[in-house]
Amino acid sequence: MRILLVEDNRPLSEWLALTLHRSKYTVDCVYNGADADHLLLTQQYELVILDLSLPKLEGSEVLKRLRARHNNVPVLILTANNSVEGRIVGLNNGADDYMAKPFDVNELEARIRALLRRANQQKNPILQCGSLSYDSNSRIFSINEVALTLTRREHAVLETLIMKSGKTVSKQALADSLYAMAEDVSQDAIEVYIHRIRKKLEHGDAAIITLRGLGYLLKQHHAD
């Protein structure tokens, strides 16, 4: 799950990015509205955390431009402006949620999880694909109630696939969910992660299907 964090307070931004990284999110950080607007034109994100008081371009303008382009990526406003008027303006401009500073990071992560579920049309925090289950709150995968041990990259790939369960996910989309801007993007590595995950799914009935030229599909495998 790739997140764009737009926050001009660098110490806060770096701390929050590290916290989210430890929770297995991929995070890109920018510190002004103009850079955020550019990235939202050129990159794909699952969620945007947006401050409103930004240099070069106000956060409200970033949000207006984003929605004018019919980009429906979930946006969580994180701002020191906790007035009723500020919340109304943010929500009316197309924000999906609103939190005031200072904030509790556990609540922030809970709101992130809820927004991601909603964006993927998943209301139940427990996602299922056959005997494979994913608790989106604890972010633990299990097969027949036995927890899977996954690396951070493997977890990101499988999380993307189960969030899109029943839908084909391109190799590029998987790469986008794995790598931040500062990292080298390797689509070839996706095949390695898929191979490793398949080995770990062998004891269940969930399988990753390769659709040549299209991508990968997570689905329940039915024995003949």
Side-chain angles (χ1 to χ4, degrees):
M1 296 288 109
R2 191 177 180 195
I3 294 174
L4 177 63
L5 174 58
V6 190
E7 170 59 62
D8 64 330
N9 182 326
R10 286 180 181 256
L12 173 60
S13 178
E14 291 168 3
W15 169 79
L16 184 53
L18 179 60
T19 300
L20 293 174
H21 181 79
R22 287 172 176 164
S23 295
K24 301 185 177 72
Y25 294 106
T26 298
V27 184
D28 288 336
C29 298
V30 289
Y31 309 101
N32 65 71
D35 287 347
D37 187 53
H38 174 72
L39 280 183
L40 289 167
L41 276 166
T42 59
Q43 303 290 319
Q44 294 292 321
Y45 293 96
E46 276 72 45
L47 180 80
V48 179
I49 300 175
L50 179 67
D51 188 10
L52 291 181
S53 300
L54 296 168
K56 297 188 179 180
L57 191 68
E58 286 286 332
S60 58
E61 184 61 26
V62 172
L63 182 56
K64 286 180 184 177
R65 294 185 183 189
L66 179 72
R67 296 311 188 212
R69 295 192 293 268
H70 305 290
N71 188 327
N72 292 320
V73 61
V75 175
L76 189 159
I77 290 177
L78 191 63
T79 180
N81 180 4
N82 192 29
S83 67
V84 173
E85 293 79 7
R87 293 196 297 274
I88 291 172
V89 169
L91 294 170
N92 282 345
N93 283 339
D96 298 273
D97 203 350
Y98 193 107
M99 283 192 72
K101 302 173 186 173
F103 58 91
D104 180 274
V105 72
N106 293 317
E107 181 184 357
L108 174 65
E109 290 198 43
R111 288 172 181 258
I112 288 172
R113 292 191 294 269
L115 287 173
L116 292 173
R117 285 197 299 268
R118 191 186 309 163
N120 287 285
Q121 299 180 333
Q122 303 278 1
K123 292 186 178 180
N124 191 334
I126 308 297
L127 309 182
Q128 297 278 159
C129 180
S131 58
L132 175 68
S133 67
Y134 178 55
D135 186 332
S136 62
N137 288 328
S138 65
R139 307 194 72 202
I140 293 175
F141 283 97
S142 59
I143 293 179
N144 297 319
E145 300 184 358
V146 177
L148 288 180
T149 301
L150 300 164
T151 67
R152 189 174 72 86
R153 301 288 198 201
E154 292 166 358
H155 186 282
V157 169
L158 191 54
E159 182 179 46
T160 300
L161 289 172
I162 201 166
M163 284 284 191
K164 307 288 185 182
S165 185
K167 299 177 182 178
T168 303
V169 182
S170 70
K171 188 181 289 187
Q172 183 61 56
L174 288 175
D176 288 343
S177 73
L178 286 178
Y179 299 102
M181 288 185 300
E183 298 176 299
D184 293 330
V185 176
S186 172
Q187 290 194 25
D188 292 339
I190 299 298
E191 296 180 11
V192 175
Y193 299 132
I194 292 290
H195 176 74
R196 291 177 183 170
I197 295 168
R198 280 177 172 149
K199 290 286 187 183
K200 296 178 180 181
L201 297 179
E202 286 179 345
H203 299 296
D205 59 0
I208 300 174
I209 309 300
T210 300
L211 300 174
R212 297 296 177 189
L214 296 175
Y216 300 97
L217 174 68
L218 179 69
K219 62 182 295 186
Q220 185 175 6
H221 173 73
H222 298 282
D224 296 332

